[in-house]
Amino acid sequence: MDGIEVPKYFLCPISLQIMKDPVTATTGITYDRESIEQWLLRCKNTSCPVTQQSLPPESDLTPNHTLRRLIQSWCTENASLGVDRIPTPKPSLDKSHFFKLIKQLQQPGSNIKALQELDFLAAKNERNRKFMVETGVPKALLLFIVNCFEEISVQGLAEALRVLVFIRIPLAEAKIFLQEYNDQIIKSLIWVLGCEFKPQVMVKSHAVLALKTMIQAASSGLLERLKPPFFEMITGVLKQTTTVSQQGMNAALHALLITCPWGRNRLMMAESGAVSALIELELGSPEKRTTELILGILFHLCCCADGRAEFLSHKGGLAVVTKRIMKVSPTADDRAVFILSLISKFVATNSVLEEMVEVGTVTKLCMMLQVDSTAPYLKEKARGILRSHTDEWRKFPCIDKTFHK
């Protein structure tokens, strides 16, 4: 199309591309349907991009058939010059179509076909995803997953989970679902993590992402009633890093972090081997957000005796936490120093204090006191750790005594 002058009124004011499906807004300005719908869906109660007049998300968009025919005619006339023909757009789907698919999803003979169409439509555009949420597709898919769990069937699970990730389960809907069906969906998603799929990574990552949303929506009563299989399966995900994506790994960590405030949950995590799995994961030098989540969970686990015991039983625990100080973020510094404070306070045996010298913990804490950017409360916490064991650490010639004054 180089060198061809396109009529200005053929171009969408948003995308600046030739309009494939021109529609006119209530302000009188014509846009390509996909561009203006994306604008309205992403910017609620926004204004018309051209006139700046109020243009609500539910604003009517009238097809401009005359302009579409002119554009198609012009494209046909210039086809020999490399201009692609603009096909006649298909009629837009309305909510009734998604209600129909929900009904089909509940019927054994047509549910797989309905899932495949929902998968296709969810990937197509944001307008479809918005209609899916408004018509109750998330609830229908969650019920489908629960039904698969009850019938021990994996058919259709990959599509159902993929659509849920596409449309994102609204937190309000997740809360209502948990109130109606208790913890069945959590049990179902944990079961999914134990199943075998092809491709494995995609399905299990989607399952963990859905699980994180449900855990975020869960009541404190439900979180207090979690059973060992929940923590065993999540720990299994942490140990088998090749079975989930980075996004899925962070979702698993987030789900664990949400459950940490309850003592019985921390105990079950420790018993499931979570402490060792977290340390091993951190030894792999993950991204910043992953490190923050790992240190956040380890802090909670070190608040209980079993967690501290597991932490110290791993040869890399103190070393990796020490190494992350002043290397990742203020959030990571906070959690790391508080972990060291718990170890220093409750399990400061001679061997532990010696290890803290050997792996550079004492040196790193001293460095924090000299750095202006260190938060005052963290300096005070570091100073408290150093003061509490000054007499023992002074025995080591490699430690500068001036830091202990």
Side-chain angles (χ1 to χ4, degrees), residues 84-198:
D84 294 331
R85 180 181 177 277
I86 302 296
T88 301
K90 296 180 180 179
S92 297
L93 296 175
D94 56 20
K95 292 182 182 180
S96 63
H97 184 73
F98 294 102
F99 282 123
K100 180 182 176 182
L101 288 175
I102 289 174
K103 288 184 179 179
Q104 292 178 359
L105 191 59
Q106 298 165 353
Q107 300 168 1
S110 59
N111 54 10
I112 300 303
K113 185 177 179 181
L115 279 169
Q116 291 170 345
E117 185 170 355
L118 285 169
D119 189 9
F120 170 76
L121 293 173
K124 193 173 183 181
N125 59 54
E126 205 163 328
R127 181 174 184 269
N128 288 343
R129 295 192 285 273
K130 176 174 177 286
F131 280 173
M132 287 182 185
V133 171
E134 292 175 351
T135 54
V137 169
K139 179 179 179 180
L141 291 171
L142 291 172
L143 283 172
F144 177 84
I145 293 169
V146 170
N147 188 59
C148 286
F149 166 59
E150 292 174 346
E151 296 183 356
I152 318 296
S153 170
V154 298
Q155 191 174 19
L157 272 176
E159 291 86 353
L161 288 165
R162 185 162 54 242
V163 176
L164 277 176
V165 171
F166 264 130
I167 63 180
R168 301 185 189 92
I169 309 168
L171 207 59
E173 286 199 27
K175 289 180 179 179
I176 293 171
F177 191 91
L178 288 168
Q179 288 171 1
E180 293 180 359
Y181 300 95
N182 207 347
D183 62 350
Q184 280 301 95
I185 185 59
I186 293 176
K187 290 180 180 177
S188 301
L189 291 169
I190 287 297
W191 167 75
V192 172
L193 291 177
C195 297
E196 294 295 325
F197 297 94
K198 290 183 179 180

Side-chain angles (χ1 to χ4, degrees), residues 112-391:
I112 300 303
K113 185 177 179 181
L115 279 169
Q116 291 170 345
E117 185 170 355
L118 285 169
D119 189 9
F120 170 76
L121 293 173
K124 193 173 183 181
N125 59 54
E126 205 163 328
R127 181 174 184 269
N128 288 343
R129 295 192 285 273
K130 176 174 177 286
F131 280 173
M132 287 182 185
V133 171
E134 292 175 351
T135 54
V137 169
K139 179 179 179 180
L141 291 171
L142 291 172
L143 283 172
F144 177 84
I145 293 169
V146 170
N147 188 59
C148 286
F149 166 59
E150 292 174 346
E151 296 183 356
I152 318 296
S153 170
V154 298
Q155 191 174 19
L157 272 176
E159 291 86 353
L161 288 165
R162 185 162 54 242
V163 176
L164 277 176
V165 171
F166 264 130
I167 63 180
R168 301 185 189 92
I169 309 168
L171 207 59
E173 286 199 27
K175 289 180 179 179
I176 293 171
F177 191 91
L178 288 168
Q179 288 171 1
E180 293 180 359
Y181 300 95
N182 207 347
D183 62 350
Q184 280 301 95
I185 185 59
I186 293 176
K187 290 180 180 177
S188 301
L189 291 169
I190 287 297
W191 167 75
V192 172
L193 291 177
C195 297
E196 294 295 325
F197 297 94
K198 290 183 179 180
Q200 182 98 316
V201 173
M202 182 184 69
V203 179
K204 294 201 173 185
S205 296
H206 291 167
V208 176
L209 286 164
L211 181 62
K212 183 196 80 168
T213 300
M214 302 313 294
I215 291 297
Q216 284 178 311
S219 65
S220 58
L222 194 154
L223 293 176
E224 285 179 311
R225 296 194 302 273
L226 291 171
K227 298 292 191 293
F230 174 88
F231 298 101
E232 291 165 2
M233 195 59 69
I234 298 294
T235 298
V237 170
L238 302 183
K239 290 178 178 178
Q240 300 175 354
T241 56
T242 58
T243 63
V244 293
S245 64
Q246 182 62 56
Q247 187 183 19
M249 184 64 68
N250 283 356
L253 291 168
H254 202 134
L256 277 186
L257 186 59
I258 293 170
T259 67
C260 280
W262 290 270
R264 65 184 299 275
N265 290 346
R266 293 196 292 267
L267 180 59
M268 286 187 283
M269 278 188 225
E271 291 174 346
S272 71
V275 176
S276 176
L278 290 164
I279 294 171
E280 289 293 330
L281 188 58
E282 186 56 37
L283 285 169
S285 300
E287 63 177 28
K288 171 185 168 181
R289 180 54 182 155
T290 305
T291 290
E292 291 174 347
L293 289 167
I294 289 172
L295 294 179
I297 300 167
L298 284 175
F299 162 71
H300 281 286
L301 292 177
C302 284
C303 287
C304 68
D306 292 71
R308 291 191 293 271
E310 290 295 320
F311 179 82
L312 290 174
S313 70
H314 194 292
K315 296 297 183 181
L318 280 172
V320 76
V321 169
T322 297
K323 187 176 181 181
R324 294 297 179 261
I325 296 176
M326 300 169 63
K327 293 288 187 180
V328 181
S329 69
T331 299
D333 289 347
D334 177 285
R335 297 297 84 185
V337 172
F338 273 77
I339 289 169
L340 295 175
S341 178
L342 289 167
I343 297 299
S344 170
K345 181 177 180 179
F346 294 107
V347 282
T349 61
N350 289 336
S351 61
V352 168
L353 293 176
E354 183 177 347
E355 184 180 352
M356 293 177 82
V357 173
E358 291 174 351
V359 302
T361 304
V362 180
T363 301
K364 187 64 73 77
L365 291 172
C366 292
M367 288 173 61
M368 290 188 76
L369 300 180
Q370 312 305 311
V371 178
D372 293 336
S373 59
T374 302
Y377 79 95
L378 279 184
K379 283 189 176 183
E380 189 57 37
K381 181 65 70 172
R383 190 175 288 111
I385 297 171
L386 293 168
R387 284 174 176 169
S388 62
H389 303 293
T390 298
D391 292 341

Side-chain angles (χ1 to χ4, degrees), residues 2-60:
D2 293 340
I4 301 175
E5 185 175 352
V6 181
K8 290 184 179 180
Y9 58 95
F10 285 3
L11 302 177
C12 173
I14 298 175
S15 68
L16 301 180
Q17 301 297 315
I18 295 176
M19 290 182 279
K20 298 178 181 179
D21 186 9
V23 292
T24 303
T26 54
T27 56
I29 305 299
T30 298
Y31 302 92
D32 189 59
R33 181 184 292 278
E34 183 176 357
S35 296
I36 190 62
E37 284 184 347
Q38 292 279 4
W39 176 278
L40 293 172
L41 288 168
R42 290 177 181 172
C43 311
K44 295 182 179 180
N45 298 319
T46 187
S47 57
C48 172
V50 174
T51 68
Q52 301 303 308
Q53 295 177 29
S54 178
L55 198 62
E58 300 298 332
S59 177
D60 289 333

